[in-house]
Amino acid sequence: MKNWILAIILLSLCFGCEQSPTTPTSTSTAQTPAPTTQTPAPTTQTPTTVLDESQISSNWVSPLCSEDALTVKRLTHLPDTKSENPWGALIHPAPEGDDFWIPPNPIPGKPGDIIWARYEGELDGGEAYLLLYNSESVCNEPRAVSAWIAIPNQPAPSAGRPILSWGHETLGAADHCAPSRTGYMNQQGVSTMVSELLKKDFVVVASDYEGHGTPGMHPWAESAAQGKNLLDAARAARNFVPGETNNTTFITGFSVGGHAMSRANEIGDVYAPDLEIIGIVGMLAGVVNSDWVPELVMRSNIRGYMVLAAVVDEAVWGEELAPLKNTLTDFAISKIGVLEELCWQEALAYYRQFEAEELFHFPYNPEFTNGVDPSVVDAIGQRAGVAPVIIIHPLDDPVIPPSAVIEYVEKVCKLGQDILIDWQEDMPHSVAMFGYEETIEALFGFLDSRLAGEPPQTHCGNIPDLPGRGKATVGSGMFCAGFASQEVAQIFFDTNPRLGGGLDTNNDGIACGDQDSGGLKDCGDGRLDLEHRCRSTGNTSNSDCEGGQEKTGGQCNGILHTCGAFGTQVDAQSWMEANIDFAEKIDTNSD
């Protein structure tokens, strides 16, 4: 979503971490303080010593940081004795159990150094490990970040292996939702793509991002922080001895990871000039920097994103500049505690029960109290990146509509960015798409081209048409499936008429009406039908099923369905269990 400066939850939602008080050192041109420093919980790990001669400063900080954040030097902490170990880590062995995610205090090393590592298990085509590595906050403060890394099991080529740094989607604010804790990289779809990458001799490293899994703030959707995390994860992969990598680096992002990969591309030559970044891959990437997105999200079924955005804005920048009450109602403020407890799909479902007007103040105003709009000052699309980009995107994604992708592409093309778009049909907003042959073909076509040194291609000035919808424009890229009802779609359409091409296809002034392609019709029993009619939910005769298929849950077996086809969740579950090969559109998070 727009580049809101985000972190985990207020002090009361900091999951047991300690937090030092906010102490801005100076005022920046944006008149905003540096983020609050998080102090990791102390551990009993190997003592550290301060090496005064090893002071370092950042190569890049967010424009929202204090003026001296770029030039301030901080001490580098190293263990008294660097243990001999097979990983290339500063400390060996790593702590057992959940203590793995609690970093030593102070955090040792410099960005990209491996603090410690441990073996996780075998994969199809390789082996997996967990890492804790050194990274940096938006304002040049040390951070310990956890990650998952996969190494091929075949011998490495003499020139070393390329690195792919993987940016995951929104998984929730709580530490227990972090990918390295949940086995995220082993789930269907992701594991398929990882196996294919291992066969191609890639080392795949997947950062949890700052404060996710580890104590402290999680700057969700803050591309400045998460972009650094992806670059330092690539450095950590290079430093991981079993990987036998070279500096050749690709960065990829899924959903909010697309925001992170975009910023990593834009700052890579400054923040991490030691990496040879040659390609950026967005797979269902949240390359979103559009001023109309926040209100769209507020009025959609994923309105929980904007609750999180408001809560953590205040956590990072302080109540004086970014008070919750600017965006959230008193009622919504009373409901923010669930963000500490639930992973993201459950959190979205929780906030879906409330109407938008119960949660938010309208019209939405993104500005801080001093008039600064952080989504403008600290956004993606500020300069051309160091490497060419491909965006592999589902045509019918209700979470990140093609309109937002098109708007981003048009913006970066003006900056001189080489960028391709591969529209994917019949794909869910889910990691399940990573297992599709079409997605894998598009990915490796790009990777192979970049590794072969072929001249970069671009769709600038010639964005591919939207299959079945014609010319790719910001207006035609909107569609009805992302709205909770026709009434909500109408509110958005009336507020944003330039985006109405895909909502009012018959030009009658009614958005997502019965006569519009993809229109919404309220069936009167809590269901929304995306194909102009309310379906029967009874388990009636099979005579209306093509090819003699039987019915389960009131619907014909052996064909793709969306959730709108079913009268109840029970019906959908019953049908899915009988049609597991056709379930991706009704189980989009593969749970």
Side-chain angles (χ1 to χ4, degrees):
M1 300 300 152
K2 288 182 64 177
N3 191 44
W4 308 300
I5 311 289
L6 301 173
I8 211 41
I9 309 294
L10 307 166
L11 179 60
S12 63
L13 301 181
C14 195
F15 313 127
C17 64
E18 298 178 5
Q19 185 175 26
S20 59
T22 303
T23 53
T25 54
S26 66
T27 307
S28 71
T29 54
Q31 300 296 309
T32 53
T36 304
T37 301
Q38 295 286 337
T39 304
T43 73
T44 57
Q45 295 304 312
T46 305
T48 60
T49 182
V50 175
L51 304 180
D52 293 339
E53 68 271 19
S54 298
Q55 293 185 342
I56 60 173
S57 59
S58 180
N59 293 328
W60 186 90
V61 299
S62 165
L64 291 175
C65 299
S66 60
E67 290 178 347
D68 64 351
L70 185 62
T71 58
V72 66
K73 292 185 179 294
R74 55 184 174 86
L75 298 174
T76 301
H77 303 273
L78 293 174
D80 288 327
T81 58
K82 184 175 180 181
S83 302
E84 293 295 328
N85 65 84
W87 317 130
L90 297 176
I91 298 173
H92 184 74
E96 297 181 357
D98 289 346
D99 287 344
F100 182 92
W101 289 271
I102 306 298
N105 185 11
I107 296 169
K110 62 184 183 298
D113 283 351
I114 299 170
I115 299 171
W116 54 54
R118 78 182 184 201
Y119 180 74
E120 186 184 55
E122 293 184 358
L123 300 170
D124 179 15
E127 295 180 317
Y129 304 78
L130 299 179
L131 304 179
L132 190 72
Y133 68 95
N134 186 301
S135 191
E136 181 184 297
S137 74
V138 293
C139 295
N140 188 20
E141 295 171 325
R143 295 287 187 261
V145 181
S146 49
W148 179 95
I149 187 168
I151 309 298
N153 54 18
Q154 66 262 29
S158 59
R161 297 178 172 117
I163 299 164
L164 187 139
S165 184
W166 181 296
H168 67 76
E169 77 272 32
T170 305
L171 295 172
D175 285 342
H176 69 268
C177 307
S180 68
R181 288 177 175 250
T182 63
Y184 166 92
M185 298 299 290
N186 297 316
Q187 66 181 302
Q188 186 179 8
V190 175
S191 61
T192 300
M193 183 160 285
V194 168
S195 294
E196 294 297 323
L197 287 163
L198 293 175
K199 292 174 186 176
K200 290 278 191 176
D201 225 4
F202 277 84
V203 169
V204 181
V205 60
S207 174
D208 286 338
Y209 306 131
E210 174 187 334
H212 201 205
T214 53
M217 298 183 296
H218 172 43
W220 172 80
E222 170 45 64
S223 64
Q226 294 181 324
K228 289 183 178 183
N229 296 162
L230 293 183
L231 292 167
D232 287 327
R235 285 168 157 166
R238 183 191 59 196
N239 292 332
F240 189 54
V241 172
E244 299 184 73
T245 64
N246 52 43
N247 278 341
T248 304
T249 303
F250 291 88
I251 301 173
T252 187
F254 169 49
S255 198
V256 75
H259 222 57
M261 72 166 197
S262 298
R263 177 53 65 91
N265 194 29
E266 293 178 34
I267 68 173
D269 57 341
V270 178
Y271 181 74
D274 49 308
L275 295 174
E276 184 187 359
I277 305 170
I278 67 170
I280 308 294
V281 182
M283 293 180 289
L284 210 163
V287 286
V288 179
N289 193 37
S290 306
D291 57 10
W292 46 268
V293 167
E295 188 161 337
L296 171 65
V297 174
M298 288 175 173
R299 296 189 181 281
S300 75
N301 287 327
I302 57 171
R303 59 184 69 96
Y305 280 104
M306 284 302 294
V307 177
L308 175 61
V311 170
V312 297
D313 252 354
E314 182 181 287
V316 176
W317 301 107
E319 184 179 1
E320 183 178 346
L321 285 179
L324 284 173
K325 62 183 180 181
N326 271 10
T327 301
L328 301 183
T329 65
D330 290 342
F331 175 79
I333 293 172
S334 73
K335 303 295 183 182
I336 63 177
V338 298
L339 293 170
E340 179 185 10
E341 304 166 0
L342 303 177
C343 292
W344 198 234
Q345 290 301 320
E346 291 76 19
L348 285 178
Y350 177 82
Y351 289 111
R352 196 175 296 136
Q353 67 181 305
F354 307 118
E355 297 297 329
E357 286 75 13
E358 293 182 271
L359 299 174
F360 308 111
H361 298 302
F362 291 102
Y364 169 68
N365 180 6
E367 293 183 352
F368 288 163
T369 56
N370 64 352
V372 171
D373 185 344
S375 64
V376 173
V377 176
D378 193 30
I380 60 174
Q382 299 297 298
R383 56 175 294 210
V386 66
V389 179
I390 186 171
I391 304 295
I392 304 170
H393 201 78
L395 180 66
D396 296 315
D397 181 20
V399 180
I400 305 168
S403 289
V405 176
I406 293 166
E407 194 163 69
Y408 172 78
V409 171
E410 290 177 343
K411 180 178 182 180
V412 298
C413 281
K414 293 178 182 177
L415 300 171
Q417 175 67 61
D418 291 322
I419 188 166
L420 298 169
I421 301 182
D422 189 296
W423 300 118
Q424 298 272 314
E425 298 184 72
D426 299 321
M427 296 282 181
H429 183 95
S430 164
V431 294
M433 72 172 285
F434 298 164
Y436 281 62
E437 183 178 346
E438 296 88 344
T439 306
I440 293 173
E441 286 180 355
L443 169 66
F444 282 109
F446 179 78
L447 298 182
D448 291 343
S449 172
R450 300 303 305 139
L451 288 170
E454 297 176 4
Q457 301 180 36
T458 184
H459 281 138
C460 288
N462 188 29
I463 296 176
D465 289 348
L466 299 172
R469 299 182 195 165
K471 189 172 178 59
T473 66
V474 175
S476 65
M478 288 298 299
F479 55 95
C480 297
F483 294 94
S485 68
Q486 189 278 324
E487 290 76 15
V488 170
Q490 190 69 45
I491 293 172
F492 179 82
F493 175 75
D494 291 341
T495 308
N496 302 276
R498 71 185 182 90
L499 298 172
L503 306 182
D504 181 19
T505 58
N506 67 342
N507 297 312
D508 64 355
I510 299 175
C512 302
D514 287 354
Q515 304 306 312
D516 289 314
S517 176
L520 299 169
K521 182 175 181 179
D522 191 336
C523 300
D525 57 1
R527 292 181 294 128
L528 288 171
D529 194 305
L530 305 186
E531 297 180 4
H532 321 303
R533 70 189 194 282
C534 297
R535 298 175 178 85
S536 168
T537 60
N539 191 5
T540 57
S541 166
N542 295 322
S543 60
D544 56 345
C545 291
E546 296 181 4
Q549 304 107 320
E550 295 188 355
K551 282 188 174 182
T552 304
Q555 296 302 319
C556 299
N557 294 333
I559 59 175
L560 288 171
H561 286 305
T562 62
C563 289
F566 301 93
T568 68
Q569 191 275 334
V570 173
D571 286 343
Q573 186 70 30
S574 175
W575 182 88
M576 184 185 75
E577 291 172 359
N579 294 268
I580 196 66
D581 292 336
F582 299 88
E584 64 265 24
K585 290 191 174 183
I586 67 167
D587 180 22
T588 58
N589 69 341
S590 302
D591 66 352

PDB file of all heavy atoms in Angstrom, residues 155-180:
ATOM      1  N   PRO A 155      26.848 -29.514  -6.313  1.00  0.00           N
ATOM      2  CA  PRO A 155      28.073 -28.721  -6.175  1.00  0.00           C
ATOM      3  C   PRO A 155      27.925 -27.353  -6.835  1.00  0.00           C
ATOM      4  O   PRO A 155      27.298 -27.212  -7.890  1.00  0.00           O
ATOM      5  CB  PRO A 155      29.129 -29.573  -6.897  1.00  0.00           C
ATOM      6  CG  PRO A 155      28.588 -30.963  -6.859  1.00  0.00           C
ATOM      7  CD  PRO A 155      27.097 -30.825  -6.950  1.00  0.00           C
ATOM      8  N   ALA A 156      28.502 -26.355  -6.196  1.00  0.00           N
ATOM      9  CA  ALA A 156      28.409 -24.999  -6.729  1.00  0.00           C
ATOM     10  C   ALA A 156      29.338 -24.823  -7.924  1.00  0.00           C
ATOM     11  O   ALA A 156      30.420 -25.425  -7.978  1.00  0.00           O
ATOM     12  CB  ALA A 156      28.767 -23.999  -5.646  1.00  0.00           C
ATOM     13  N   PRO A 157      28.954 -24.013  -8.911  1.00  0.00           N
ATOM     14  CA  PRO A 157      29.859 -23.715 -10.023  1.00  0.00           C
ATOM     15  C   PRO A 157      31.070 -22.935  -9.533  1.00  0.00           C
ATOM     16  O   PRO A 157      31.024 -22.300  -8.470  1.00  0.00           O
ATOM     17  CB  PRO A 157      28.987 -22.887 -10.971  1.00  0.00           C
ATOM     18  CG  PRO A 157      27.917 -22.306 -10.114  1.00  0.00           C
ATOM     19  CD  PRO A 157      27.663 -23.319  -9.033  1.00  0.00           C
ATOM     20  N   SER A 158      32.120 -22.957 -10.283  1.00  0.00           N
ATOM     21  CA  SER A 158      33.356 -22.294  -9.865  1.00  0.00           C
ATOM     22  C   SER A 158      33.183 -20.795  -9.679  1.00  0.00           C
ATOM     23  O   SER A 158      33.866 -20.180  -8.855  1.00  0.00           O
ATOM     24  CB  SER A 158      34.454 -22.567 -10.895  1.00  0.00           C
ATOM     25  OG  SER A 158      34.065 -22.096 -12.184  1.00  0.00           O
ATOM     26  N   ALA A 159      32.255 -20.214 -10.433  1.00  0.00           N
ATOM     27  CA  ALA A 159      32.023 -18.765 -10.331  1.00  0.00           C
ATOM     28  C   ALA A 159      31.101 -18.405  -9.177  1.00  0.00           C
ATOM     29  O   ALA A 159      30.863 -17.212  -8.923  1.00  0.00           O
ATOM     30  CB  ALA A 159      31.450 -18.244 -11.639  1.00  0.00           C
ATOM     31  N   GLY A 160      30.577 -19.390  -8.474  1.00  0.00           N
ATOM     32  CA  GLY A 160      29.662 -19.117  -7.380  1.00  0.00           C
ATOM     33  C   GLY A 160      28.218 -19.049  -7.836  1.00  0.00           C
ATOM     34  O   GLY A 160      27.915 -18.997  -9.032  1.00  0.00           O
ATOM     35  N   ARG A 161      27.321 -19.066  -6.868  1.00  0.00           N
ATOM     36  CA  ARG A 161      25.884 -19.078  -7.159  1.00  0.00           C
ATOM     37  C   ARG A 161      25.279 -17.674  -7.066  1.00  0.00           C
ATOM     38  O   ARG A 161      25.688 -16.863  -6.239  1.00  0.00           O
ATOM     39  CB  ARG A 161      25.157 -19.974  -6.166  1.00  0.00           C
ATOM     40  CG  ARG A 161      25.542 -21.443  -6.199  1.00  0.00           C
ATOM     41  CD  ARG A 161      24.773 -22.189  -5.133  1.00  0.00           C
ATOM     42  NE  ARG A 161      24.949 -23.627  -5.224  1.00  0.00           N
ATOM     43  CZ  ARG A 161      25.513 -24.383  -4.283  1.00  0.00           C
ATOM     44  NH1 ARG A 161      25.968 -23.823  -3.162  1.00  0.00           N
ATOM     45  NH2 ARG A 161      25.631 -25.679  -4.446  1.00  0.00           N
ATOM     46  N   PRO A 162      24.239 -17.395  -7.882  1.00  0.00           N
ATOM     47  CA  PRO A 162      23.504 -16.141  -7.727  1.00  0.00           C
ATOM     48  C   PRO A 162      22.596 -16.194  -6.501  1.00  0.00           C
ATOM     49  O   PRO A 162      22.214 -17.264  -6.027  1.00  0.00           O
ATOM     50  CB  PRO A 162      22.696 -16.041  -9.021  1.00  0.00           C
ATOM     51  CG  PRO A 162      22.513 -17.461  -9.454  1.00  0.00           C
ATOM     52  CD  PRO A 162      23.748 -18.192  -9.021  1.00  0.00           C
ATOM     53  N   ILE A 163      22.244 -15.023  -6.010  1.00  0.00           N
ATOM     54  CA  ILE A 163      21.404 -14.866  -4.817  1.00  0.00           C
ATOM     55  C   ILE A 163      20.046 -14.313  -5.235  1.00  0.00           C
ATOM     56  O   ILE A 163      19.961 -13.396  -6.072  1.00  0.00           O
ATOM     57  CB  ILE A 163      22.053 -13.883  -3.824  1.00  0.00           C
ATOM     58  CG1 ILE A 163      23.416 -14.398  -3.370  1.00  0.00           C
ATOM     59  CG2 ILE A 163      21.149 -13.626  -2.619  1.00  0.00           C
ATOM     60  CD1 ILE A 163      24.281 -13.331  -2.713  1.00  0.00           C
ATOM     61  N   LEU A 164      18.976 -14.850  -4.642  1.00  0.00           N
ATOM     62  CA  LEU A 164      17.652 -14.255  -4.793  1.00  0.00           C
ATOM     63  C   LEU A 164      17.142 -13.906  -3.397  1.00  0.00           C
ATOM     64  O   LEU A 164      16.938 -14.780  -2.557  1.00  0.00           O
ATOM     65  CB  LEU A 164      16.684 -15.199  -5.494  1.00  0.00           C
ATOM     66  CG  LEU A 164      15.321 -14.563  -5.822  1.00  0.00           C
ATOM     67  CD1 LEU A 164      14.840 -14.984  -7.207  1.00  0.00           C
ATOM     68  CD2 LEU A 164      14.264 -14.942  -4.786  1.00  0.00           C
ATOM     69  N   SER A 165      16.971 -12.609  -3.141  1.00  0.00           N
ATOM     70  CA  SER A 165      16.460 -12.119  -1.860  1.00  0.00           C
ATOM     71  C   SER A 165      14.956 -11.949  -1.970  1.00  0.00           C
ATOM     72  O   SER A 165      14.468 -11.179  -2.799  1.00  0.00           O
ATOM     73  CB  SER A 165      17.127 -10.788  -1.496  1.00  0.00           C
ATOM     74  OG  SER A 165      16.711 -10.339  -0.224  1.00  0.00           O
ATOM     75  N   TRP A 166      14.213 -12.669  -1.136  1.00  0.00           N
ATOM     76  CA  TRP A 166      12.758 -12.831  -1.245  1.00  0.00           C
ATOM     77  C   TRP A 166      12.043 -11.943  -0.224  1.00  0.00           C
ATOM     78  O   TRP A 166      12.306 -12.030   0.967  1.00  0.00           O
ATOM     79  CB  TRP A 166      12.435 -14.303  -0.979  1.00  0.00           C
ATOM     80  CG  TRP A 166      11.016 -14.726  -1.056  1.00  0.00           C
ATOM     81  CD1 TRP A 166       9.979 -14.327  -0.263  1.00  0.00           C
ATOM     82  CD2 TRP A 166      10.463 -15.678  -1.973  1.00  0.00           C
ATOM     83  NE1 TRP A 166       8.826 -14.952  -0.621  1.00  0.00           N
ATOM     84  CE2 TRP A 166       9.093 -15.800  -1.675  1.00  0.00           C
ATOM     85  CE3 TRP A 166      11.014 -16.453  -2.994  1.00  0.00           C
ATOM     86  CZ2 TRP A 166       8.262 -16.661  -2.379  1.00  0.00           C
ATOM     87  CZ3 TRP A 166      10.174 -17.299  -3.688  1.00  0.00           C
ATOM     88  CH2 TRP A 166       8.816 -17.398  -3.387  1.00  0.00           C
ATOM     89  N   GLY A 167      11.132 -11.102  -0.703  1.00  0.00           N
ATOM     90  CA  GLY A 167      10.335 -10.255   0.179  1.00  0.00           C
ATOM     91  C   GLY A 167       8.907 -10.761   0.274  1.00  0.00           C
ATOM     92  O   GLY A 167       8.175 -10.762  -0.716  1.00  0.00           O
ATOM     93  N   HIS A 168       8.488 -11.187   1.463  1.00  0.00           N
ATOM     94  CA  HIS A 168       7.165 -11.793   1.635  1.00  0.00           C
ATOM     95  C   HIS A 168       6.070 -10.748   1.827  1.00  0.00           C
ATOM     96  O   HIS A 168       6.317  -9.552   1.971  1.00  0.00           O
ATOM     97  CB  HIS A 168       7.183 -12.777   2.806  1.00  0.00           C
ATOM     98  CG  HIS A 168       7.384 -12.124   4.150  1.00  0.00           C
ATOM     99  ND1 HIS A 168       6.387 -11.438   4.811  1.00  0.00           N
ATOM    100  CD2 HIS A 168       8.470 -12.058   4.964  1.00  0.00           C
ATOM    101  CE1 HIS A 168       6.844 -10.988   5.965  1.00  0.00           C
ATOM    102  NE2 HIS A 168       8.110 -11.343   6.080  1.00  0.00           N
ATOM    103  N   GLU A 169       4.848 -11.230   1.855  1.00  0.00           N
ATOM    104  CA  GLU A 169       3.672 -10.377   1.990  1.00  0.00           C
ATOM    105  C   GLU A 169       3.366 -10.061   3.451  1.00  0.00           C
ATOM    106  O   GLU A 169       4.090 -10.467   4.354  1.00  0.00           O
ATOM    107  CB  GLU A 169       2.459 -11.061   1.337  1.00  0.00           C
ATOM    108  CG  GLU A 169       1.841 -12.189   2.153  1.00  0.00           C
ATOM    109  CD  GLU A 169       2.472 -13.528   1.893  1.00  0.00           C
ATOM    110  OE1 GLU A 169       3.683 -13.581   1.597  1.00  0.00           O
ATOM    111  OE2 GLU A 169       1.762 -14.544   2.000  1.00  0.00           O
ATOM    112  N   THR A 170       2.270  -9.339   3.684  1.00  0.00           N
ATOM    113  CA  THR A 170       1.819  -9.051   5.040  1.00  0.00           C
ATOM    114  C   THR A 170       1.335 -10.339   5.697  1.00  0.00           C
ATOM    115  O   THR A 170       0.437 -11.004   5.192  1.00  0.00           O
ATOM    116  CB  THR A 170       0.661  -8.031   5.025  1.00  0.00           C
ATOM    117  OG1 THR A 170       1.076  -6.866   4.315  1.00  0.00           O
ATOM    118  CG2 THR A 170       0.255  -7.649   6.437  1.00  0.00           C
ATOM    119  N   LEU A 171       1.913 -10.666   6.837  1.00  0.00           N
ATOM    120  CA  LEU A 171       1.556 -11.906   7.528  1.00  0.00           C
ATOM    121  C   LEU A 171       1.049 -11.662   8.939  1.00  0.00           C
ATOM    122  O   LEU A 171       0.671 -12.605   9.629  1.00  0.00           O
ATOM    123  CB  LEU A 171       2.767 -12.847   7.569  1.00  0.00           C
ATOM    124  CG  LEU A 171       3.246 -13.343   6.200  1.00  0.00           C
ATOM    125  CD1 LEU A 171       4.551 -14.100   6.330  1.00  0.00           C
ATOM    126  CD2 LEU A 171       2.189 -14.212   5.538  1.00  0.00           C
ATOM    127  N   GLY A 172       1.018 -10.411   9.354  1.00  0.00           N
ATOM    128  CA  GLY A 172       0.526 -10.089  10.685  1.00  0.00           C
ATOM    129  C   GLY A 172       1.579  -9.379  11.492  1.00  0.00           C
ATOM    130  O   GLY A 172       2.773  -9.408  11.188  1.00  0.00           O
ATOM    131  N   ALA A 173       1.126  -8.703  12.539  1.00  0.00           N
ATOM    132  CA  ALA A 173       2.031  -7.907  13.348  1.00  0.00           C
ATOM    133  C   ALA A 173       2.768  -8.724  14.401  1.00  0.00           C
ATOM    134  O   ALA A 173       3.883  -8.386  14.787  1.00  0.00           O
ATOM    135  CB  ALA A 173       1.239  -6.783  14.030  1.00  0.00           C
ATOM    136  N   ALA A 174       2.171  -9.780  14.868  1.00  0.00           N
ATOM    137  CA  ALA A 174       2.731 -10.536  15.982  1.00  0.00           C
ATOM    138  C   ALA A 174       3.967 -11.318  15.546  1.00  0.00           C
ATOM    139  O   ALA A 174       4.055 -11.819  14.424  1.00  0.00           O
ATOM    140  CB  ALA A 174       1.684 -11.494  16.543  1.00  0.00           C
ATOM    141  N   ASP A 175       4.919 -11.459  16.473  1.00  0.00           N
ATOM    142  CA  ASP A 175       6.167 -12.152  16.157  1.00  0.00           C
ATOM    143  C   ASP A 175       5.940 -13.605  15.751  1.00  0.00           C
ATOM    144  O   ASP A 175       6.674 -14.153  14.922  1.00  0.00           O
ATOM    145  CB  ASP A 175       7.112 -12.100  17.359  1.00  0.00           C
ATOM    146  CG  ASP A 175       7.757 -10.732  17.531  1.00  0.00           C
ATOM    147  OD1 ASP A 175       7.746  -9.959  16.564  1.00  0.00           O
ATOM    148  OD2 ASP A 175       8.265 -10.454  18.629  1.00  0.00           O
ATOM    149  N   HIS A 176       4.934 -14.254  16.332  1.00  0.00           N
ATOM    150  CA  HIS A 176       4.723 -15.669  16.014  1.00  0.00           C
ATOM    151  C   HIS A 176       4.241 -15.883  14.588  1.00  0.00           C
ATOM    152  O   HIS A 176       4.182 -17.018  14.120  1.00  0.00           O
ATOM    153  CB  HIS A 176       3.752 -16.310  17.016  1.00  0.00           C
ATOM    154  CG  HIS A 176       2.336 -15.827  16.901  1.00  0.00           C
ATOM    155  ND1 HIS A 176       1.841 -14.768  17.624  1.00  0.00           N
ATOM    156  CD2 HIS A 176       1.303 -16.259  16.135  1.00  0.00           C
ATOM    157  CE1 HIS A 176       0.568 -14.579  17.319  1.00  0.00           C
ATOM    158  NE2 HIS A 176       0.222 -15.475  16.413  1.00  0.00           N
ATOM    159  N   CYS A 177       3.923 -14.796  13.874  1.00  0.00           N
ATOM    160  CA  CYS A 177       3.477 -14.902  12.480  1.00  0.00           C
ATOM    161  C   CYS A 177       4.629 -14.816  11.485  1.00  0.00           C
ATOM    162  O   CYS A 177       4.413 -14.962  10.286  1.00  0.00           O
ATOM    163  CB  CYS A 177       2.474 -13.794  12.168  1.00  0.00           C
ATOM    164  SG  CYS A 177       1.074 -13.680  13.310  1.00  0.00           S
ATOM    165  N   ALA A 178       5.849 -14.574  11.958  1.00  0.00           N
ATOM    166  CA  ALA A 178       6.991 -14.392  11.070  1.00  0.00           C
ATOM    167  C   ALA A 178       7.283 -15.664  10.273  1.00  0.00           C
ATOM    168  O   ALA A 178       7.175 -16.775  10.797  1.00  0.00           O
ATOM    169  CB  ALA A 178       8.225 -13.990  11.883  1.00  0.00           C
ATOM    170  N   PRO A 179       7.671 -15.547   9.006  1.00  0.00           N
ATOM    171  CA  PRO A 179       7.885 -16.720   8.152  1.00  0.00           C
ATOM    172  C   PRO A 179       8.867 -17.732   8.709  1.00  0.00           C
ATOM    173  O   PRO A 179       8.653 -18.939   8.599  1.00  0.00           O
ATOM    174  CB  PRO A 179       8.398 -16.108   6.847  1.00  0.00           C
ATOM    175  CG  PRO A 179       7.846 -14.744   6.818  1.00  0.00           C
ATOM    176  CD  PRO A 179       7.814 -14.287   8.243  1.00  0.00           C
ATOM    177  N   SER A 180       9.963 -17.266   9.305  1.00  0.00           N
ATOM    178  CA  SER A 180      10.959 -18.209   9.798  1.00  0.00           C
ATOM    179  C   SER A 180      10.451 -19.004  10.990  1.00  0.00           C
ATOM    180  O   SER A 180      11.004 -20.049  11.329  1.00  0.00           O
ATOM    181  CB  SER A 180      12.249 -17.468  10.182  1.00  0.00           C
ATOM    182  OG  SER A 180      12.049 -16.634  11.311  1.00  0.00           O
TER     183      SER A 180
END
